[in-house]
Amino acid sequence: MYNDDQKELFNKKITWEEAISICSDVGAGFSDAMILNALQCTNLPFSISLDSDLAFSVVANSNLKDVLIPDALVDNLL
């Protein structure tokens, strides 16, 4: 968010407090919570990931932006 080429992607400052809130709310690991926090601070509507923990965190809190993961990954987890 501090790179001049990427400033237009962000609509608010990324803070540790928000990451901690996500971590405690959905039980995500701290790294995953910070990734979700960073996504919340962007103008992007969703993220694409191979990390199923991010997707499950979003399922736990519908206020978080969506994370798309491949169907095959979901099938392996079920």
Side-chain angles (χ1 to χ4, degrees), residues 11-31:
N11 55 26
K12 64 181 180 177
K13 185 177 179 181
I14 300 171
T15 66
W16 290 106
E17 292 80 13
E18 289 298 319
I20 292 168
S21 176
I22 291 171
C23 187
S24 62
D25 180 46
V26 300
F30 197 69
S31 297

Side-chain angles (χ1 to χ4, degrees), residues 15-75:
T15 66
W16 290 106
E17 292 80 13
E18 289 298 319
I20 292 168
S21 176
I22 291 171
C23 187
S24 62
D25 180 46
V26 300
F30 197 69
S31 297
D32 291 336
M34 184 52 94
I35 292 168
L36 292 169
N37 179 39
L39 177 60
Q40 293 300 109
C41 294
T42 70
N43 297 317
L44 303 172
F46 61 87
S47 176
I48 300 171
S49 178
L50 295 175
D51 186 340
S52 58
D53 290 338
L54 293 179
F56 284 121
S57 295
V58 170
V59 170
N61 183 339
S62 62
N63 292 320
L64 295 173
K65 292 182 180 179
D66 291 333
V67 174
L68 307 177
I69 61 173
D71 289 342
L73 185 58
V74 174
D75 292 342

